[in-house]
Amino acid sequence: MMQTVAGWHVELEFQEDATHTRAVALVRLRDGSEVRAHGHASRHESDRNQPRVGEEIAGARALNELAMQLLTKAHEEIDTDSGRQSHPINI
C-alpha cells in the first residue's frame, strides 16, 4: 500500500488585457527549490472576448512548460547522482 509522503501545490497567476493573457505557474518542491514557468495566449480579433478561455490556454501552456522543467530537473539529478548519462525521460 502506498503512503502519501509529500504534496505539491501549484500556483497559477494571470495577467490579462483585451487581447492577451499571460500565466505564471509556480511549484515549491520538498528540497526548498521553486520551479516557475510562463504561458501566453492571444485572442484573435474576430473571436469573442472570453477571458476564461485565455486563462485556460495560457495556464495549460505554463503547466506544460512547468512539466518540462521538472522532467529536466529530475533527469539532471539522476545523472548527477549516478555519475553517468541516463536515458531521456519521456512524457
Side-chain angles (χ1 to χ4, degrees):
M1 181 174 163
M2 296 183 87
Q3 295 180 335
T4 302
V5 294
W8 291 355
H9 295 276
V10 177
E11 297 176 25
L12 279 169
E13 292 184 358
F14 300 95
Q15 293 181 331
E16 300 174 280
D17 62 26
T19 58
H20 300 91
T21 303
R22 287 185 169 75
V24 177
L26 170 72
V27 64
R28 290 180 185 88
L29 304 176
R30 290 175 69 183
D31 65 3
S33 65
E34 293 181 350
V35 180
R36 182 181 309 260
H38 299 85
H40 181 263
S42 297
R43 180 177 63 85
H44 189 273
E45 60 189 34
S46 65
D47 291 337
R48 192 167 53 91
N49 189 7
Q50 295 179 288
R52 181 183 50 80
V53 173
E55 290 170 5
E56 291 169 352
I57 293 168
R61 289 175 174 163
L63 290 170
N64 186 57
E65 176 61 27
L66 187 70
M68 297 309 296
Q69 288 184 35
L70 287 167
L71 284 171
T72 298
K73 183 179 185 308
H75 187 68
E76 291 169 353
E77 290 174 359
I78 290 168
D79 288 353
T80 298
D81 187 62
S82 68
R84 61 177 172 76
Q85 186 160 354
S86 57
H87 294 283
I89 300 172
N90 299 313
I91 56 171

